[in-house]
Amino acid sequence: MRSKPLSRRVILQSSIAATAWIAAAPALTGQAQAATLKLKCSSSLPNDPKYANGRVYYDNLVKNLKANGLSEQIDVTFFPDNQLGQEIDVINSVKLGVIDLMVSGSSISANLVPLVGTFDLGYLFTSFLQQTKAFDAGAAKPIEDALLKGANIRIIAWAYNFGARSVLAKKPVKTPEDLAGLKIRTLPNPIITECLRLMGAAATPLAFGEIYTALQAGVLDGLEHDPPTILASKFYETSKHYALTQHIFSPLAIYFSDATFNRMDPKLREGFLDAAKKAAADSRTHGLAVEKEALAALTEKGVTVVECDKEAFRKRVLPQTDNFIKARPEAKPVVDMIRATQA
């Protein structure tokens, strides 16, 4: 059986189609290889682009990813306001690799690795600038190593909570005696709870998402947090006295799941981590500026900002660090390095 000879027209059309397919093949293959990496980033704070540290960090991250030419390759979706769950649930999801990124204080991860609680010790830091100098000198490295080993969580970078933690209450507080018996919300973290107890309060651990209604209902007499968070979360609507105890300069951690780290293409990962670290530096600068603005805004909303007897509070809290070191001797080099660092 003989096949029919192909016409010149058919051969020409087939040749053109084949050439077009070969030319397109690299682009199609490249598109398949360059599938966008989707990441989830969680924050418990509201979606406020000025006063909420999670949103500020996210905006800076997006900006720096674009500057690094990665905006088409990495898509980070932001979930503020506890959308992915309460913080204790989210940090466990980061540990498991279910959530990729979390922007939160160091305090929440102390529930997984108690050594992280070193950074929550009352009156350990004197300022955020002193904190950065201590971390740059190596004070954060043992904590980072412990968190990676014990919880499969990496710290991409350290930023600042937007101000020191101080006490917002329904009555004026200037001394430890004024704080006595007041039910003050603390993070569900034993170190911060103990700090507030030593300061004189009836320290009351509670999830962040439950604070506002607890203040409204009278279950709480106040809370301790930084000025921008109090402003962004509208806690000033329930309590009108802000005592500048400044008992904790809590570092803001950019948590990154080790599972996500390991599944990223090394070249993509390098550019991502660079952008993420630059975003933390940008957020630190923003945080220092916005604390003063938030205090002024709180005053405009009827909050009385009060200087208090910080030395009296500090003396009461001092034994906490010694007891912590006795229980965890591995914290001593970290504490010594922080105390030796001058702002």
Side-chain angles (χ1 to χ4, degrees), residues 16-32:
I16 292 171
T19 302
W21 186 90
I22 291 170
L28 293 171
T29 305
Q31 286 174 8

Side-chain angles (χ1 to χ4, degrees), residues 153-167:
I153 296 173
R154 292 175 177 268
I155 300 291
I156 290 181
W158 297 97
Y160 301 150
N161 276 295
F162 293 172
R165 300 182 82 93
S166 289
V167 175

Side-chain angles (χ1 to χ4, degrees), residues 281-307:
D282 293 340
S283 298
R284 286 199 296 268
T285 302
H286 178 92
L288 290 175
V290 84
E291 179 184 12
K292 293 178 182 178
E293 289 185 39
L295 278 173
L298 287 172
T299 301
E300 291 174 4
K301 293 183 180 298
V303 174
T304 302
V305 179
V306 181
E307 293 287 347

Side-chain angles (χ1 to χ4, degrees), residues 74-141:
I74 301 176
D75 177 26
V76 184
T77 303
F78 183 52
F79 296 91
D81 222 0
N82 291 308
Q83 288 180 19
L84 299 182
Q86 297 295 343
E87 285 192 307
I88 189 62
D89 301 315
V90 173
I91 195 70
N92 274 292
S93 293
V94 174
K95 176 182 178 180
L96 297 171
V98 177
I99 295 173
D100 308 290
L101 287 159
M102 179 184 187
V103 182
S104 184
S106 59
S107 313
I108 195 66
S109 59
N111 291 284
L112 303 181
V113 177
L115 184 63
V116 185
T118 306
F119 294 156
D120 295 323
L121 292 168
Y123 295 99
L124 176 63
F125 297 104
T126 57
S127 70
F128 281 119
L129 293 176
Q130 182 244 3
Q131 181 184 100
T132 296
K133 286 186 177 182
F135 284 7
D136 287 346
K141 186 67 166 58

